[in-house]
Amino acid sequence: MNTTSTPTYPRAVLFDLLTALLDSWTVWNAAAGSEEHGRAWRARYLQLTYGCGAYEPYEALVRQAARDTGLPLSAPAALEAHWDELPPWDGARELLAALRPHCKLAVVTNCSRVLGTRAAAIMGIDWDVVVTSEEAGFYKPDPRPYRMALDRLGIEASDAAFVAGSGYDMFGTAAVGLRTFWHNRVGLSLPAGARAPDAQAATLAPALAWLQSLHASPPASS
């Protein structure tokens, strides 16, 4: 007798773009001249975006972070020049292809509209929804970008899931009730006060099985 369970996909899967699906770390480090300088620059940029809440121009925050960490303005110029070369993480395209017949797919990204659209196009699929922080008027982890994506999809949070690239996403997904898989590629610590993700891994490989059985598992408790 066949005892294989039938996959129970969510109606929609939302993705962080620049860290969950794309290896933006490599391009930031190259633009900065080294991994050390790239990590410091990226950390300062994240402080600025997570701290400002309401949207301020993404490109301006990237330049400010470069100045604050002692980098020349040639660094953010190089980052934008190589933006279309952001490489997908291994398994990212395969995961999207496996989900495409079963789920609506969306992006929720801390980015400008122009750069977010360009980065989303790298994945080579027809997204149902792409929401940038510029369109939402707020940076993640404010709940509004996630809610905008759900509203545009016409789907409740209980029927969706989120694949995060940053631990800070856990604040936003907890606020809207999205079950969350954290693709914690570089082994970051969970920010203080953030709810633990429902699942996490250093690669995207376990994400499909988790999504296929999602309705059998309730969200992680606060």
Side-chain angles (χ1 to χ4, degrees), residues 188-209:
L188 299 174
S189 299
L190 187 69
R195 186 192 75 181
D198 298 271
Q200 71 169 302
T203 71
L204 285 167
L208 181 60

PDB file of all heavy atoms in Angstrom, residues 188-209:
ATOM      1  N   LEU A 188      24.216  33.781  10.529  1.00  0.00           N
ATOM      2  CA  LEU A 188      24.001  34.930  11.402  1.00  0.00           C
ATOM      3  C   LEU A 188      23.207  34.524  12.639  1.00  0.00           C
ATOM      4  O   LEU A 188      22.448  33.554  12.623  1.00  0.00           O
ATOM      5  CB  LEU A 188      23.244  36.027  10.642  1.00  0.00           C
ATOM      6  CG  LEU A 188      23.945  36.582   9.401  1.00  0.00           C
ATOM      7  CD1 LEU A 188      23.025  37.555   8.675  1.00  0.00           C
ATOM      8  CD2 LEU A 188      25.254  37.270   9.787  1.00  0.00           C
ATOM      9  N   SER A 189      23.371  35.276  13.705  1.00  0.00           N
ATOM     10  CA  SER A 189      22.602  35.043  14.923  1.00  0.00           C
ATOM     11  C   SER A 189      21.225  35.675  14.803  1.00  0.00           C
ATOM     12  O   SER A 189      21.063  36.718  14.151  1.00  0.00           O
ATOM     13  CB  SER A 189      23.331  35.641  16.133  1.00  0.00           C
ATOM     14  OG  SER A 189      24.589  35.040  16.312  1.00  0.00           O
ATOM     15  N   LEU A 190      20.241  35.073  15.434  1.00  0.00           N
ATOM     16  CA  LEU A 190      18.906  35.646  15.460  1.00  0.00           C
ATOM     17  C   LEU A 190      18.947  36.941  16.267  1.00  0.00           C
ATOM     18  O   LEU A 190      19.464  36.952  17.387  1.00  0.00           O
ATOM     19  CB  LEU A 190      17.921  34.658  16.087  1.00  0.00           C
ATOM     20  CG  LEU A 190      16.444  35.039  16.045  1.00  0.00           C
ATOM     21  CD1 LEU A 190      15.920  34.982  14.617  1.00  0.00           C
ATOM     22  CD2 LEU A 190      15.641  34.113  16.954  1.00  0.00           C
ATOM     23  N   PRO A 191      18.421  38.038  15.727  1.00  0.00           N
ATOM     24  CA  PRO A 191      18.431  39.301  16.481  1.00  0.00           C
ATOM     25  C   PRO A 191      17.695  39.171  17.812  1.00  0.00           C
ATOM     26  O   PRO A 191      16.716  38.415  17.928  1.00  0.00           O
ATOM     27  CB  PRO A 191      17.705  40.272  15.545  1.00  0.00           C
ATOM     28  CG  PRO A 191      17.863  39.683  14.182  1.00  0.00           C
ATOM     29  CD  PRO A 191      17.854  38.199  14.380  1.00  0.00           C
ATOM     30  N   ALA A 192      18.171  39.887  18.792  1.00  0.00           N
ATOM     31  CA  ALA A 192      17.550  39.855  20.119  1.00  0.00           C
ATOM     32  C   ALA A 192      16.088  40.263  20.030  1.00  0.00           C
ATOM     33  O   ALA A 192      15.753  41.260  19.391  1.00  0.00           O
ATOM     34  CB  ALA A 192      18.293  40.793  21.070  1.00  0.00           C
ATOM     35  N   GLY A 193      15.230  39.465  20.637  1.00  0.00           N
ATOM     36  CA  GLY A 193      13.810  39.771  20.660  1.00  0.00           C
ATOM     37  C   GLY A 193      13.020  39.250  19.488  1.00  0.00           C
ATOM     38  O   GLY A 193      11.786  39.338  19.479  1.00  0.00           O
ATOM     39  N   ALA A 194      13.699  38.707  18.473  1.00  0.00           N
ATOM     40  CA  ALA A 194      12.991  38.176  17.308  1.00  0.00           C
ATOM     41  C   ALA A 194      12.445  36.789  17.595  1.00  0.00           C
ATOM     42  O   ALA A 194      13.075  35.999  18.313  1.00  0.00           O
ATOM     43  CB  ALA A 194      13.924  38.111  16.099  1.00  0.00           C
ATOM     44  N   ARG A 195      11.267  36.494  17.029  1.00  0.00           N
ATOM     45  CA  ARG A 195      10.707  35.159  17.146  1.00  0.00           C
ATOM     46  C   ARG A 195      11.543  34.181  16.325  1.00  0.00           C
ATOM     47  O   ARG A 195      11.993  34.514  15.219  1.00  0.00           O
ATOM     48  CB  ARG A 195       9.267  35.158  16.608  1.00  0.00           C
ATOM     49  CG  ARG A 195       8.517  33.846  16.815  1.00  0.00           C
ATOM     50  CD  ARG A 195       7.234  33.816  16.000  1.00  0.00           C
ATOM     51  NE  ARG A 195       7.507  33.604  14.582  1.00  0.00           N
ATOM     52  CZ  ARG A 195       6.565  33.558  13.651  1.00  0.00           C
ATOM     53  NH1 ARG A 195       5.305  33.742  13.981  1.00  0.00           N
ATOM     54  NH2 ARG A 195       6.882  33.357  12.381  1.00  0.00           N
ATOM     55  N   ALA A 196      11.753  32.994  16.848  1.00  0.00           N
ATOM     56  CA  ALA A 196      12.490  31.980  16.097  1.00  0.00           C
ATOM     57  C   ALA A 196      11.724  31.621  14.829  1.00  0.00           C
ATOM     58  O   ALA A 196      10.489  31.569  14.832  1.00  0.00           O
ATOM     59  CB  ALA A 196      12.705  30.736  16.943  1.00  0.00           C
ATOM     60  N   PRO A 197      12.427  31.363  13.714  1.00  0.00           N
ATOM     61  CA  PRO A 197      11.731  30.927  12.508  1.00  0.00           C
ATOM     62  C   PRO A 197      11.126  29.542  12.702  1.00  0.00           C
ATOM     63  O   PRO A 197      11.533  28.789  13.603  1.00  0.00           O
ATOM     64  CB  PRO A 197      12.844  30.897  11.458  1.00  0.00           C
ATOM     65  CG  PRO A 197      14.090  30.649  12.247  1.00  0.00           C
ATOM     66  CD  PRO A 197      13.886  31.372  13.546  1.00  0.00           C
ATOM     67  N   ASP A 198      10.163  29.194  11.869  1.00  0.00           N
ATOM     68  CA  ASP A 198       9.568  27.859  11.929  1.00  0.00           C
ATOM     69  C   ASP A 198      10.573  26.793  11.507  1.00  0.00           C
ATOM     70  O   ASP A 198      10.501  25.652  11.962  1.00  0.00           O
ATOM     71  CB  ASP A 198       8.334  27.810  11.032  1.00  0.00           C
ATOM     72  CG  ASP A 198       7.269  28.779  11.506  1.00  0.00           C
ATOM     73  OD1 ASP A 198       6.436  28.393  12.329  1.00  0.00           O
ATOM     74  OD2 ASP A 198       7.290  29.942  11.060  1.00  0.00           O
ATOM     75  N   ALA A 199      11.496  27.182  10.618  1.00  0.00           N
ATOM     76  CA  ALA A 199      12.567  26.285  10.177  1.00  0.00           C
ATOM     77  C   ALA A 199      13.699  27.144   9.663  1.00  0.00           C
ATOM     78  O   ALA A 199      13.484  28.285   9.233  1.00  0.00           O
ATOM     79  CB  ALA A 199      12.069  25.341   9.077  1.00  0.00           C
ATOM     80  N   GLN A 200      14.909  26.615   9.706  1.00  0.00           N
ATOM     81  CA  GLN A 200      16.036  27.337   9.124  1.00  0.00           C
ATOM     82  C   GLN A 200      17.094  26.351   8.676  1.00  0.00           C
ATOM     83  O   GLN A 200      17.173  25.222   9.172  1.00  0.00           O
ATOM     84  CB  GLN A 200      16.640  28.362  10.087  1.00  0.00           C
ATOM     85  CG  GLN A 200      17.406  27.813  11.258  1.00  0.00           C
ATOM     86  CD  GLN A 200      18.174  28.911  11.995  1.00  0.00           C
ATOM     87  OE1 GLN A 200      18.997  29.602  11.413  1.00  0.00           O
ATOM     88  NE2 GLN A 200      17.880  29.086  13.279  1.00  0.00           N
ATOM     89  N   ALA A 201      17.896  26.786   7.707  1.00  0.00           N
ATOM     90  CA  ALA A 201      18.986  25.966   7.196  1.00  0.00           C
ATOM     91  C   ALA A 201      19.987  26.875   6.512  1.00  0.00           C
ATOM     92  O   ALA A 201      19.675  28.015   6.148  1.00  0.00           O
ATOM     93  CB  ALA A 201      18.465  24.908   6.220  1.00  0.00           C
ATOM     94  N   ALA A 202      21.193  26.362   6.312  1.00  0.00           N
ATOM     95  CA  ALA A 202      22.239  27.132   5.652  1.00  0.00           C
ATOM     96  C   ALA A 202      22.119  27.080   4.134  1.00  0.00           C
ATOM     97  O   ALA A 202      22.856  27.774   3.432  1.00  0.00           O
ATOM     98  CB  ALA A 202      23.607  26.617   6.080  1.00  0.00           C
ATOM     99  N   THR A 203      21.202  26.254   3.628  1.00  0.00           N
ATOM    100  CA  THR A 203      20.948  26.186   2.184  1.00  0.00           C
ATOM    101  C   THR A 203      19.440  26.193   1.961  1.00  0.00           C
ATOM    102  O   THR A 203      18.648  26.049   2.894  1.00  0.00           O
ATOM    103  CB  THR A 203      21.533  24.910   1.564  1.00  0.00           C
ATOM    104  OG1 THR A 203      20.760  23.782   1.990  1.00  0.00           O
ATOM    105  CG2 THR A 203      22.990  24.723   1.957  1.00  0.00           C
ATOM    106  N   LEU A 204      19.055  26.322   0.713  1.00  0.00           N
ATOM    107  CA  LEU A 204      17.638  26.272   0.349  1.00  0.00           C
ATOM    108  C   LEU A 204      17.128  24.844   0.184  1.00  0.00           C
ATOM    109  O   LEU A 204      15.919  24.644   0.021  1.00  0.00           O
ATOM    110  CB  LEU A 204      17.405  27.052  -0.949  1.00  0.00           C
ATOM    111  CG  LEU A 204      17.422  28.576  -0.833  1.00  0.00           C
ATOM    112  CD1 LEU A 204      17.503  29.205  -2.215  1.00  0.00           C
ATOM    113  CD2 LEU A 204      16.202  29.080  -0.081  1.00  0.00           C
ATOM    114  N   ALA A 205      18.019  23.868   0.235  1.00  0.00           N
ATOM    115  CA  ALA A 205      17.631  22.492  -0.061  1.00  0.00           C
ATOM    116  C   ALA A 205      16.453  21.988   0.771  1.00  0.00           C
ATOM    117  O   ALA A 205      15.551  21.327   0.238  1.00  0.00           O
ATOM    118  CB  ALA A 205      18.832  21.565   0.091  1.00  0.00           C
ATOM    119  N   PRO A 206      16.376  22.269   2.091  1.00  0.00           N
ATOM    120  CA  PRO A 206      15.251  21.735   2.876  1.00  0.00           C
ATOM    121  C   PRO A 206      13.948  22.525   2.718  1.00  0.00           C
ATOM    122  O   PRO A 206      12.919  22.104   3.244  1.00  0.00           O
ATOM    123  CB  PRO A 206      15.751  21.848   4.329  1.00  0.00           C
ATOM    124  CG  PRO A 206      17.203  22.150   4.247  1.00  0.00           C
ATOM    125  CD  PRO A 206      17.391  22.881   2.958  1.00  0.00           C
ATOM    126  N   ALA A 207      13.984  23.647   2.015  1.00  0.00           N
ATOM    127  CA  ALA A 207      12.805  24.528   1.976  1.00  0.00           C
ATOM    128  C   ALA A 207      11.615  23.877   1.280  1.00  0.00           C
ATOM    129  O   ALA A 207      10.470  24.042   1.718  1.00  0.00           O
ATOM    130  CB  ALA A 207      13.150  25.847   1.290  1.00  0.00           C
ATOM    131  N   LEU A 208      11.864  23.129   0.211  1.00  0.00           N
ATOM    132  CA  LEU A 208      10.751  22.554  -0.542  1.00  0.00           C
ATOM    133  C   LEU A 208       9.961  21.562   0.305  1.00  0.00           C
ATOM    134  O   LEU A 208       8.725  21.616   0.350  1.00  0.00           O
ATOM    135  CB  LEU A 208      11.250  21.886  -1.817  1.00  0.00           C
ATOM    136  CG  LEU A 208      10.155  21.270  -2.702  1.00  0.00           C
ATOM    137  CD1 LEU A 208       9.153  22.315  -3.158  1.00  0.00           C
ATOM    138  CD2 LEU A 208      10.782  20.556  -3.907  1.00  0.00           C
ATOM    139  N   ALA A 209      10.654  20.660   0.983  1.00  0.00           N
ATOM    140  CA  ALA A 209       9.953  19.674   1.818  1.00  0.00           C
ATOM    141  C   ALA A 209       9.170  20.366   2.928  1.00  0.00           C
ATOM    142  O   ALA A 209       8.053  19.949   3.256  1.00  0.00           O
ATOM    143  CB  ALA A 209      10.948  18.683   2.406  1.00  0.00           C
TER     144      ALA A 209
END
